[in-house]
Amino acid sequence: MASLSVDQHRALLADLVAPLAPQVLPVADCRGLVLAQNVEARVPVPPFTNSAMDGFALRASDLARAAPTRLPVVGDVPAGATEQVSLPPGSAVRIMTGAPVPAGADTVVKVELTDHGGLGPAPEAVTIEAGAPARANVRLQGEVVGVGATVLRRGNVLDPVGISAAVSVGYGELLVHPRPRVAVVATGSELRPPGQPLGHGQIPDSNSLLMRGLVEEAGAQVVASIVCGDDPAELRRALAACPELDLVVTAGGISAGAFEVVRQTLAGGAVFHHVAQQPGGPQGCGHVALPGGRNVPVICLPGNPVSVYVSFYAYVRGVIGCLRGEARTVLPPRTVAAVAGADWAAPAGKVQLIPVRLVGSAPSGVPLVVPVHELGSRSHLVTALPLADAIAVVPPRPAGPAGEAGVRRAGELEGAGLAGAAAAPRGQRGVSAGDRLEIIPVGWSAQPAQHPADYEEKDSDDRPHPA
Ligand SMILES: Nc1nc2c(c(=O)[nH]1)N[C@H]1C(S)=C(S)[C@@H](COP(=O)(O)OP(=O)(O)OC[C@H]3O[C@@H](n4cnc5c(N)ncnc54)[C@H](O)[C@@H]3O)O[C@H]1N2
Ligand code: MOO
């Protein structure tokens, strides 16, 4: 089987997909989608000059500076009032928060600073305790944004605050890249549904729900979830019955066994190879031809759950990001700097993608990470994944004498922290405590480019804290 680098495999994926064509959707359906238009204010914010408090609107010049003033109350303006009210000089109008300030009024005195109790009908007159500055408690039309101001830009992800901003400036619909429609496929005759008793040789199908959750967290929707045995005809039938799709993601059935259902079924439109990574070495990608002339991109992951997990972050998330319009192409995952908090083994000649957890901060403030399981990056350690805060990306260690750790040879070792290095078996030593690493944050955000926790290097001393 051919062997590719991580970048070469990602380049194949990039050739399969492009951002989905934009559609106009109701704002209520846009949460999490990527804007395909700039949003320019159609109405000003606020749309009219209004009161920030429940109280009385009046002219500041009608109040004595240091003594109480009594004014007749000539009107009552609740929020939602649409008639235009104007304020004669020397009078006050009772007003509620958000209601339009009457023409002529330039200040609002809150009800607590008057002799009015607040509830019930408006009084005939009100006593204001002291003077008030002009413009107090008045929100001027357009003071937040005027008509035409750009509030959101093409490429922004519509989170709840983005949607509220678009609604506030007059939008009921937006031009967005639609949510990608994905089918997830788990294969293997050993699979049993969640919670069912297991016969000898059977395992629970954990990948289906793993893939569903990861796809949804990445901002796509799962429109079909197929579980099938090792019979290509069964897989072909299940795929043919799928609704409209933008992507198929499979797990399992692609390596060198006698019954590799995914390879056998998709061989015409997909290629299968080894990628120089661990775990997740076997990979495939291409197109699957579906009835009606549909030719849908497919990504084929190996079946081991940890391989599914790391491959999702390494590749599938970038593919979904491209379909969603987050980027024009398939980008590598965003990484942040970290420091190894322990020694661990890493394979020679391959990128190691190892689930890690945060155990504190290095002195410079960057996260200190250790593998989630003492068995390292082996691909069946599914129950350790809930501990993962990130996936560490360990560059390929050159094949050579033991102890020549890839990370360290790159000249990035910080300080000492070598105690315990001998714990890794001779010939497999990879990472040493104190080594600098890049980590892919997981599960924190479906929009990597907007993630707030961007760890900055502040100084060079990143040795782990003493235990
Ligand atoms: N002769 C070789 N054998 C294997 C190679 C190789 O290069 N030559 N590569 C190994 C590596 S590395 C991996 S990874 C696996 C990938 O194999 P498949 O993609 O064909 O995956 P399966 O054999 O179907 O399953 C692997 C493993 O994962 C379990 N699994 C599968 N589906 C699920 C699921 N839905 N939920 C939970 N667990 C699942 C399955 O039972 C297997 O234990 O190939 C190696 N072999
Ligand atoms: O690539 Mo496999 O996932 O190492 O076990």
Side-chain angles (χ1 to χ4, degrees):
M1 214 189 292
S3 186
L4 271 59
S5 70
V6 165
D7 287 344
Q8 286 170 326
H9 181 59
R10 190 175 293 113
L12 292 180
L13 298 174
D15 286 342
L16 300 177
V17 289
L20 297 177
Q23 293 175 2
V24 175
L25 292 182
V27 280
D29 298 337
C30 288
R31 181 163 168 220
L33 300 182
V34 176
L35 265 173
Q37 66 168 104
N38 290 340
V39 173
E40 282 150 7
R42 291 174 174 163
V43 296
V45 178
F48 52 89
T49 297
N50 68 80
S51 173
M53 293 286 170
D54 300 313
F56 291 85
L58 42 88
R59 285 180 175 75
S61 58
D62 284 340
L63 297 182
R65 217 173 265 168
T69 307
R70 191 149 181 87
L71 296 173
V73 177
V74 300
D76 199 15
V77 196
T82 51
E83 83 217 61
Q84 304 267 5
V85 176
S86 61
L87 180 81
S91 65
V93 160
R94 189 170 73 160
I95 193 165
M96 301 301 146
T97 303
V101 171
D106 63 6
T107 191
V108 171
V109 176
K110 61 180 183 176
V111 70
E112 294 91 325
L113 301 178
T114 74
D115 65 346
H116 178 55
L119 295 176
E124 286 185 1
V126 65
T127 299
I128 313 289
E129 285 169 12
R135 283 214 48 198
N137 302 322
V138 172
R139 305 185 292 207
L140 293 180
Q141 180 184 51
E143 72 178 6
V144 181
V145 287
V147 171
T150 302
V151 174
L152 298 167
R153 292 187 186 280
R154 184 179 304 127
N156 286 165
V157 176
L158 286 162
D159 58 8
V161 290
I163 290 176
S164 101
V167 169
S168 300
V169 294
Y171 286 73
E173 295 177 328
L174 291 165
L175 186 68
V176 291
H177 296 280
R179 203 176 296 282
R181 300 158 299 183
V182 181
V184 295
V185 181
T187 63
S189 45
E190 73 276 28
L191 302 181
R192 294 282 290 148
Q196 294 302 304
L198 302 177
H200 181 67
Q202 295 185 320
I203 58 160
D205 169 20
S206 58
N207 281 344
S208 288
L209 291 177
L210 176 66
M211 287 189 287
R212 172 185 284 276
L214 292 172
V215 164
E216 289 175 355
E217 277 186 6
Q221 56 183 323
V222 174
V223 295
S225 182
I226 296 169
V227 185
C228 82
D230 291 324
D231 176 6
E234 184 190 351
L235 177 55
R236 231 172 266 126
R237 267 196 309 275
L239 286 169
C242 282
E244 284 297 309
L245 292 175
D246 302 306
L247 179 68
V248 177
V249 183
T250 72
I254 63 168
S255 65
F259 311 101
E260 302 294 10
V261 62
V262 169
R263 280 183 76 163
Q264 287 173 267
T265 310
L266 303 182
V271 290
F272 296 89
H273 41 253
H274 253 103
V275 177
Q277 68 177 69
Q278 195 279 320
Q283 298 281 344
C285 63
H287 285 98
V288 49
L290 297 181
R294 294 181 290 162
N295 217 15
V296 180
V298 61
I299 307 175
C300 305
L301 309 178
N304 278 308
V306 180
S307 307
V308 171
Y309 184 71
V310 300
S311 303
F312 185 89
Y313 281 99
Y315 306 116
V316 183
R317 194 168 175 177
V319 167
I320 290 176
C322 175
L323 290 168
R324 279 169 46 73
E326 286 173 16
R328 301 243 142 259
T329 186
V330 178
L331 296 179
R334 195 181 67 93
T335 61
V336 295
V339 169
D343 305 336
W344 70 78
K350 296 176 180 180
V351 175
Q352 186 187 43
L353 298 169
I354 181 166
V356 289
R357 63 190 171 90
L358 305 186
V359 290
S361 301
S364 65
V366 303
L368 203 57
V369 297
V370 301
V372 293
H373 197 285
E374 61 192 17
L375 288 178
S377 54
R378 291 168 65 183
S379 54
H380 62 307
L381 306 173
V382 58
T383 52
L385 292 180
L387 296 173
D389 298 302
I391 296 167
V393 183
V394 181
R397 180 175 68 82
E404 298 193 344
V407 176
R408 190 143 44 102
R409 279 167 59 100
E412 293 175 319
L413 177 67
E414 295 193 27
L418 292 170
R426 189 176 162 76
Q428 288 187 19
R429 208 176 293 166
V431 176
S432 299
D435 286 352
R436 291 192 190 202
L437 299 163
E438 291 294 315
I439 59 171
I440 304 166
V442 295
W444 292 348
S445 164
Q447 296 110 39
Q450 295 198 337
H451 190 265
D454 221 343
Y455 295 97
E456 295 278 343
E457 289 279 311
K458 291 195 192 68
D459 61 50
S460 59
D461 186 5
D462 279 341
R463 264 170 293 164
H465 293 303

